[in-house]
Amino acid sequence: SKSYQLVVVGSGAGGAAIAARFSSKLGKGKVAIIEPSDAHYNQAMWTLVGGGIVKLEDTYRPMASIIPSTCDWIKDRATTFKPDTCTVSTQGGEEIKYEYLVVAVGLQLRYEDIKGLTEGLEMDPMLVSNYSAKYVTRTINAIDKFKGGQAVFTLPNTPIKCPGAPQKIMYLAESKWKKNGVKKSSTITYNTAMGVMLGAPKYAEVLRGVCEKRGIQVNFKTNLVEVNPEKKEAVFMKLETGETYVQPYDFMHVTPPMSTPTELKSSPLVNAGGFLTVDKYTLQHSQYPNVFGIGDCTDVPTPKTAAAVASQCGIVAENLAAVMKGGTLTRKYDGYTACPLVTSYNTCIMAEFAFEGVPMETFPIDQGKERQSMYWVKLHILPRVYNLMTKGWWSGPAPVRKIFHLGLSKQE
Ligand code: FAD
């Protein structure tokens, strides 16, 4: 069996960033990544792929180019976590021993949990989903082909990554349909299992206004349970009463239910919901002090985004380094997360907030407005920031925020 000072499981946004930091610090042979996939995607750009603004290839990097050269890549799935003996076993039958472990396995898409959905996505070109590399490129064709009628967008009844993304693609589609004239003969409906537009009241209210202004029908606490692609019908459940109803569709964008990967769910490291239990401030595991978590797979109560991962990366890096030296944990995560809510092909509401949905905006302007400048940031700056993060060179915008707010009060 192999043995490492640090083992990182998963090489997505969070795992790559942590491995980069520690492999340069600890040197060759000390850090390993367990990751089965050949492809690393910047998923945060997939709204732009679905909207036809960037190509899927522009969001892709070979996994080999993401994993630091000083880090060993165990190209396999982690299957069993044994924190009492500090080992992780893999599908290929290897036992990997660690002194310290960072779990960064993200979320698993569960299209199969909705009856008829997987078949529907195969056979109906007007049934689309931005959430998977397999489907995301079809979205723009369906938006362009839509000839009017019922357009439906969904958000499921599970925690998901980027809870803003299910509505961003709706705003992009709506602005296309307005331009090409089909909006006049269409009904646009947003069926969300949430009770609000977004977890932060400031932006939730603004987004309510965006929907009202554009005549988008919003149904809260409404969850997709079945798709019948032959009849072009969807079945939704009203979560408060349990009653179901049939919704015909001519276009539908589905956000699938999600959970943590099965291997983590069945480990001793998680809560009843299957999420890695960590201290929400230090990101250290609640029972195993040599285990940390980062990203979508943890139970940290803040919306799951790459922006959150960036801030968490700085916290995990410092706190894990302290634990390695036998010191105490000093850094506390504030819950920072961000959701660039693209509202058209040239506007964006840049939602940034901390625990409890308290706004924490980087720029010295009111970000609760649709702005062209923030669209530019989303399109040109954030993809670069993501790449810096995976190299371990970015831990969130706090320093930028401090500079902008030095001597500058908030302006309209
Ligand atoms: P991931 O990046 O998903 O990586 C998880 C990794 O773990 C994967 O490489 C996977 O192969 C690996 N893995 C899984 N199981 C195992 C196992 N058993 N063993 C080993 N490895 C395993 N974020 C934003 O900040 N802004 C946005 O605008 C935004 N928009 C989004 C739009 C869409 C459509 C989507 C899908 C996501 C969006 N996000 C956005 C969210 C962002 O992509 C995620 O929050 C981020 O990627 C989470 O990073 P992570 O490291 O936790 O998980």
Side-chain angles (χ1 to χ4, degrees):
S1 77
K2 291 177 185 157
S3 177
Y4 292 92
Q5 189 171 357
L6 173 65
V7 169
V8 179
V9 186
S11 186
I18 290 297
R21 299 234 174 171
F22 282 91
S23 56
S24 60
K25 200 148 104 180
L26 301 174
K28 235 181 154 48
K30 300 286 185 193
V31 183
I33 283 186
I34 307 177
E35 164 66 63
S37 180
D38 278 319
H40 176 108
Y41 286 100
N42 177 351
Q43 303 162 55
M45 289 175 76
W46 285 355
T47 295
L48 303 177
V49 176
I53 301 160
V54 305
K55 297 229 168 336
L56 181 62
E57 301 93 88
D58 299 335
T59 74
Y60 162 82
R61 300 261 307 272
M63 191 59 83
S65 75
I66 286 282
I67 293 176
S69 55
T70 44
C71 176
D72 283 6
W73 178 12
I74 297 161
K75 196 177 173 308
D76 205 343
R77 270 194 100 71
T79 45
T80 318
F81 294 84
K82 297 172 207 153
D84 291 317
T85 54
C86 299
T87 49
V88 176
S89 38
T90 68
Q91 200 162 35
E94 274 193 281
E95 290 264 310
I96 317 292
K97 244 186 126 32
Y98 60 81
E99 278 174 62
Y100 302 95
L101 177 73
V102 174
V103 183
V105 291
L107 289 178
Q108 186 174 319
L109 306 172
R110 307 192 71 94
Y111 287 102
E112 67 283 1
D113 285 0
I114 294 184
K115 197 174 161 204
L117 180 55
T118 311
E119 302 87 307
L121 285 163
E122 298 296 332
M123 61 171 278
D124 181 0
M126 299 305 277
L127 183 60
V128 293
S129 180
N130 281 355
Y131 270 81
S132 160
K134 190 169 162 197
Y135 305 126
V136 60
T137 53
R138 301 163 60 227
T139 305
I140 186 61
N141 299 328
I143 292 175
D144 285 341
K145 272 205 209 112
F146 183 60
K147 296 275 181 292
Q150 298 281 352
V152 181
F153 296 81
T154 76
L155 183 148
N157 191 24
T158 65
I160 62 168
K161 41 186 151 186
C162 201
Q167 60 190 296
K168 294 180 207 176
I169 190 62
M170 173 170 73
Y171 302 132
L172 290 180
E174 186 270 350
S175 58
K176 276 226 155 183
W177 295 334
K178 192 167 173 193
K179 222 177 197 165
N180 69 14
V182 303
K183 194 184 164 188
K184 290 191 289 284
S185 56
S186 310
T187 306
I188 303 174
T189 307
Y190 183 46
N191 283 345
T192 169
M194 288 170 66
V196 288
M197 294 300 291
L198 203 71
K202 167 172 175 169
Y203 309 104
E205 203 170 303
V206 176
L207 292 164
R208 232 14 245 268
V210 169
C211 289
E212 249 158 55
K213 200 168 70 195
R214 300 185 188 187
I216 295 169
Q217 167 72 38
V218 179
N219 298 320
F220 291 116
K221 304 201 172 167
T222 304
N223 187 38
L224 178 66
V225 288
E226 190 180 334
V227 181
N228 189 334
E230 267 129 24
K231 292 196 192 149
K232 300 203 74 110
E233 284 177 355
V235 180
F236 286 92
M237 179 183 279
K238 287 275 167 206
L239 290 171
E240 279 164 324
T241 58
E243 94 197 68
T244 58
Y245 69 94
V246 172
Q247 162 76 57
Y249 71 85
D250 300 288
F251 171 102
M252 183 157 71
H253 179 273
V254 176
T255 300
M258 298 173 207
S259 73
T260 53
T262 324
E263 301 85 0
L264 179 65
K265 251 168 103 177
S266 58
S267 81
L269 295 167
V270 299
N271 63 18
F275 289 88
L276 189 83
T277 52
V278 295
D279 181 280
K280 70 174 181 178
Y281 299 118
T282 64
L283 305 177
Q284 185 180 42
H285 193 267
S286 57
Q287 280 133 52
Y288 299 95
N290 62 336
V291 177
F292 282 77
I294 187 167
D296 295 350
C297 68
T298 75
D299 68 348
V300 173
T302 203
K304 301 176 184 305
T305 65
V309 168
S311 288
Q312 292 171 12
C313 176
I315 311 294
V316 170
E318 285 196 34
N319 285 343
L320 176 55
V323 171
M324 284 175 169
K325 289 195 201 105
T328 50
L329 305 185
T330 50
R331 286 292 303 280
K332 280 189 171 180
Y333 179 47
D334 52 19
Y336 175 85
T337 189
C339 203
L341 287 132
V342 176
T343 52
S344 75
Y345 281 81
N346 60 6
T347 54
C348 177
I349 294 168
M350 189 63 76
E352 291 181 283
F353 50 99
F355 286 135
E356 316 294 341
V358 177
M360 190 180 260
E361 300 182 346
T362 300
F363 302 97
I365 49 172
D366 180 6
Q367 291 176 208
K369 286 189 173 164
E370 295 181 69
R371 291 184 183 272
Q372 291 187 8
S373 56
M374 291 301 129
Y375 183 86
W376 190 85
V377 168
K378 164 73 183 161
L379 189 58
H380 297 292
I381 302 295
L382 295 185
R384 290 182 168 84
V385 165
Y386 182 93
N387 291 336
L388 289 178
M389 173 180 71
T390 55
K391 293 194 171 83
W393 295 341
W394 177 259
S395 329
V400 181
R401 185 170 61 237
K402 278 184 197 129
I403 292 164
F404 272 130
H405 291 258
L406 265 183
L408 281 170
S409 57
K410 278 264 169 184
Q411 298 176 355
E412 280 303 293

